[in-house]
Amino acid sequence: MAYATHTSRPQSAFAARINVALDNIRTRLERRRVYKRTLAELQSLSSRELADLGLNRSMLTRIAYQAAYEV
């Protein structure tokens, strides 16, 4: 004999749109966190450490943006 252990109701179109909107917000917040964390780490490096990496301070925001948003 088989038993159903999980049942699900189909979502309404409104609920589906809400879920999509919440997923978009979560994605944007996570990308923003990655951007801020990356930028903070890069800014904490000394000028010499940046030079060793072939970077200068004017490049940091672009690099952090690329890391977060994969542009």
Side-chain angles (χ1 to χ4, degrees), residues 5-6 8 10-11 13 18 21 24 28 30 48 51 55 57:
T5 59
H6 178 67
S8 63
Q11 288 185 347
I18 294 294
N24 287 340
R28 287 180 181 190
E30 180 58 30
R48 180 168 180 141
L55 304 174
R57 295 216 177 265

Side-chain angles (χ1 to χ4, degrees), residues 1-70:
M1 186 183 299
Y3 293 96
T5 59
H6 178 67
T7 59
S8 63
R9 295 185 338 209
Q11 288 185 347
S12 69
F14 178 73
R17 286 195 312 260
I18 294 294
N19 285 334
V20 168
L22 290 175
D23 287 341
N24 287 340
I25 291 170
R26 284 186 202 106
T27 300
R28 287 180 181 190
L29 288 173
E30 180 58 30
R31 286 182 177 178
R32 181 70 178 167
R33 276 188 224 109
V34 169
Y35 170 79
K36 291 181 85 170
R37 188 179 326 124
T38 304
L39 186 59
E41 288 179 19
L42 288 171
Q43 288 175 335
S44 71
L45 297 174
S46 70
S47 295
R48 180 168 180 141
E49 291 169 326
L50 288 172
D52 287 345
L53 294 171
L55 304 174
N56 57 49
R57 295 216 177 265
S58 66
M59 301 167 71
L60 299 184
T61 55
R62 181 178 48 87
I63 292 168
Y65 186 87
Q66 287 175 338
Y69 298 100
E70 301 172 326

